[in-house]
Amino acid sequence: MSDVMCIQNGNDVIVTGINNFMISQTFDCGQCFRFDSASDGSVRGVAFGRVIEILQPEEDTIVIKNTTVSDFDRLLKSYLGLDEDYCEIRREMADACSADRALEEAMKVGCGIRIMKQDPWETLCSFIISQNNNIPRIKGIIKTMSERFGKPIYHEGEIVAYDFPTPQSICDAGVESVFACKTGFRAKYIIDAAQKVASGEIDLEKVAAMDTDAASDELCKIKGVGKKVAACSLLFGFGKKDAFPIDVWVKRVLAKYYGEDFSPEYFGRYAGIAQQYLFYYERYISSRENVS
DNA sequence: TGCCAGGCCGAAA
DNA sequence: TTTCGGCATGGC
């Protein structure tokens, strides 16, 4: 189990005893599109209908602004993946793939990544938007949709941000309004997802209770959701750590290090976490090559 | 300016 | 069953 400790400090919560977690990596590894980094290294974004700001003054310590110990235990601990024992997960992964130099290196480079557990609907919708798109633009579209269809979030009487829109509010907005958020060909997919979830045709709570393959099949009933979008949703929104999204970056990694007869089962029950290490690693290598 | 992006759909072979 | 063009848009 995770053994983090937290204490209330005025309006903030200080969490200590953290390992294998860096806010810079966790929020910059393409799993979450609602947080931005500040120049001081802190991150600020929206989750659970409120604005959340996190600082990391020490490697093993984070400070979460304007929250309570109760909210941390109830919501944020799991949201940030701090309820999992990453020492044990990484040990198990390393044992299962003991001669795998690529994974070993990726685990080193991305040692601060934790898989978050975000809102299932928001994650599903975000990854529908992500298809054939780049991360800055995905963030922009999600921001626009939140501002236009989401509930405003107030602080001291002022609107400070907007929550991610509910399925019903997207249905109410209609396909043309969604298209106007620069969603392009994805607008009709977003509407189809919103309609199926709002009507109960797709029940996200039931999806969460299914095994990963069945859950993927269920999400793929939505137009515009294929195996990759389903896998990302399941990994980052439903807590399915064995979901293994294969996108252009991971395809490159697999071709480079693993060959044609590769199966995600090779990585074991935490294949999704291994995938995220490799995804981050490949992008890291690519960005270094572009600099030099 | 052109390539590419956390892909998927639908038609054709 | 597999292959492939098309899709909206803007970051780089």
Side-chain angles (χ1 to χ4, degrees):
Chain A
M1 284 297 289
S2 163
D3 54 354
V4 299
M5 304 270 291
C6 66
I7 55 163
Q8 192 76 41
N9 182 39
N11 290 330
D12 307 338
V13 165
I14 301 174
V15 187
T16 56
I18 289 172
N19 58 66
N20 297 296
F21 178 78
M22 283 187 244
I23 54 174
S24 55
Q25 291 191 347
T26 293
F27 286 95
D28 184 40
C29 69
Q31 61 174 322
C32 173
F33 304 107
R34 295 226 68 196
F35 277 74
D36 292 309
S37 303
S39 53
D40 64 355
S42 65
V43 295
R44 184 176 186 273
V46 178
F48 306 107
R50 69 190 78 170
V51 172
I52 290 167
E53 191 177 348
I54 309 173
L55 298 78
Q56 189 163 20
E58 309 283 343
E59 196 178 317
D60 67 346
T61 305
I62 60 170
V63 178
I64 308 175
K65 310 287 280 183
N66 296 312
T67 191
T68 61
V69 167
S70 159
D71 272 358
F72 175 77
D73 284 335
R74 198 165 49 89
L75 303 171
L76 295 170
K77 190 173 180 181
S78 148
Y79 179 74
L80 297 169
L82 292 172
D83 56 338
E84 301 274 0
D85 184 347
Y86 266 61
C87 287
E88 184 52 36
I89 288 173
R90 286 166 62 90
R91 191 177 306 131
E92 184 176 320
M93 202 181 288
D95 286 348
C97 312
S98 57
D100 187 334
R101 294 291 161 249
L103 181 63
E104 187 184 344
E105 196 59 27
M107 285 174 68
K108 215 179 286 174
V109 170
C111 63
I113 295 172
R114 285 200 182 219
I115 302 297
M116 298 169 68
K117 189 159 188 267
Q118 304 172 71
D119 176 72
W121 161 246
E122 178 175 337
T123 311
L124 171 63
C125 196
S126 297
F127 280 95
I128 291 174
I129 294 166
S130 80
Q131 63 179 274
N132 207 31
N133 215 339
N134 57 56
I135 291 173
R137 218 172 83 80
I138 297 163
K139 290 174 86 166
I141 291 170
I142 291 170
K143 185 164 181 281
T144 304
M145 284 183 60
S146 300
E147 286 168 357
R148 294 188 185 175
F149 317 132
K151 236 171 76 182
I153 297 167
Y154 293 90
H155 180 67
E156 295 177 352
E158 304 256 323
I159 295 175
V160 288
Y162 291 84
D163 204 2
F164 191 80
T166 62
Q168 188 58 55
S169 63
I170 289 176
C171 290
D172 294 344
V175 69
E176 286 182 14
S177 300
V178 172
F179 185 86
C181 298
K182 311 285 185 187
T183 51
F185 61 87
R186 308 163 193 85
K188 55 183 182 292
Y189 303 157
I190 295 166
I191 290 290
D192 190 60
Q195 285 173 342
K196 286 195 165 82
V197 174
S199 69
E201 186 180 337
I202 303 272
D203 184 333
L204 297 184
E205 286 186 18
K206 285 185 182 164
V207 171
M210 294 174 182
D211 67 61
T212 301
D213 285 343
S216 175
D217 290 345
E218 188 67 10
L219 292 181
C220 286
K221 290 178 181 169
I222 297 165
K223 193 174 279 296
V225 176
K227 284 192 175 304
K228 193 277 173 179
V229 168
C232 282
S233 309
L234 293 171
L235 180 59
F236 305 129
F238 291 79
K240 308 271 186 208
K241 305 265 183 330
D242 57 336
F244 194 88
I246 301 179
D247 71 334
V248 291
W249 293 96
V250 176
K251 271 183 195 158
R252 275 176 216 155
V253 172
L254 297 180
K256 212 153 129 187
Y257 306 109
Y258 296 95
E260 284 181 1
D261 54 350
F262 165 83
S263 162
E265 288 162 11
Y266 158 75
F267 290 117
R269 60 181 170 145
Y270 298 115
I273 302 178
Q275 178 274 162
Q276 197 59 13
Y277 285 135
L278 292 165
F279 172 80
Y280 185 85
Y281 179 54
E282 189 63 15
R283 283 165 51 94
Y284 168 81
I285 292 174
S286 171
S287 66
R288 278 167 57 108
E289 284 170 353
N290 289 337
V291 169
S292 57

